[in-house]
Amino acid sequence: MTNKPVQSLTVKKVSEQKCFDGWHRQYSHWSETLNCEMRFAVYLPPHVDDGEDVPVLYWLSGLTCTDENFMQKAGAMRLASDLGMAIVAPDTSPRGEGVPDDPEGQYDLGLGAGFYVNATQEPWSQHYRMYDYVVEELPALVEKHFPVCEKRSISGHSMGGHGAIMIALRNPESFCSVSAFSPICHPTDCPWGHKAFGAYLGDDQSAWKAYDSVELLKRSNVSNPLPILVDQGDADGFLAEQLKPESLLQASAEKGYPLSLRMQSGYDHSYFFIASFIEDHLHFHAEHLRG
């Protein structure tokens, strides 16, 4: 095993670019949760230069992505600058020497495909604990090193949309709002979920439900619901087999849990779709972060 640094909450700046009077920066750090070196990106709006602590939106990306996809393709920074909102984008899985990958070299398991769960099965359990990383370690790191306040929201795309909704439903006290683009809504009932959950969590499918947004919604607290916004393109090639937003909508209706699902005509699964509606999501989160 790689030797751990003395201080686990230290960060090292990898790169920085000025953008809309704020700063996009990449950092690396040793993750004790994942037992490897990790990288994440932060956008800090210009408000922090005036000594203001700003709210933060955590963005979780999808299969094959890193911290770079959203920051480079979504076009979110102009409005984040205006709104005074920080954005934090972690990687999608542990990486590095000794971190296991799909033995068949497929994209939907292993590197780039952490699925935001805590793996319990070998060889994954030593590194693949993305749930704890996103819920506990990364926010502690961000709140130690950056001028952000205690108000957080969370969003994501595809596998990251699954992660965002699932994490928010399990930790409603930690977030002001949650949104998603093209989320994997019911991973216990789709091929991506069966492959990943079977590998990471084992054959006992009852254990999978703790990471399934539909199952979590069925037993959520409707007396104090978390605002949820979901955008889904109707030309998405993964819609019917993998994403299944109708399952999420049905669960919310049966539970009486308010959820806004917008089907967007002609849009697919790409970042062109995200870029088209990201400003709606930033305004949605800003409203609830202010509240």
Side-chain angles (χ1 to χ4, degrees), residues 165-228:
I165 298 173
M166 176 269 293
I167 285 172
L169 288 173
R170 287 183 58 164
N171 303 274
E173 72 286 348
S174 297
F175 300 99
C176 297
S177 53
V178 56
S179 73
F181 291 84
S182 315
I184 304 172
C185 295
H186 202 4
T188 61
D189 188 35
C190 75
W192 277 340
H194 272 252
K195 179 177 179 178
F197 285 12
Y200 296 146
L201 304 173
D203 295 333
D204 181 5
Q205 295 191 15
S206 64
W208 300 5
K209 293 182 179 181
Y211 298 102
D212 185 303
S213 295
V214 168
E215 299 299 330
L216 291 168
L217 203 55
K218 290 177 181 179
R219 57 179 189 264
S220 59
N221 181 2
V222 295
S223 63
N224 189 24
L226 197 64
I228 303 176

Side-chain angles (χ1 to χ4, degrees), residues 3 24 28 35 45 50 104 106 115 196 256 268:
N3 291 329
H24 166 267
S28 66
N35 289 304
D50 298 326
E104 298 180 357
Q106 298 299 308
F115 270 84
D268 61 14

Side-chain angles (χ1 to χ4, degrees), residues 18-25 43-54 76-87 147:
K18 192 169 186 178
C19 188
F20 296 107
D21 292 324
W23 289 96
H24 166 267
R25 295 183 174 124
Y43 178 71
L44 294 173
H47 302 63
V48 301
D49 293 334
D50 298 326
E52 181 179 343
D53 287 350
V54 297
M77 294 185 211
R78 181 197 63 79
L79 185 55
S81 173
D82 292 344
L83 293 172
M85 178 189 299
I87 301 174

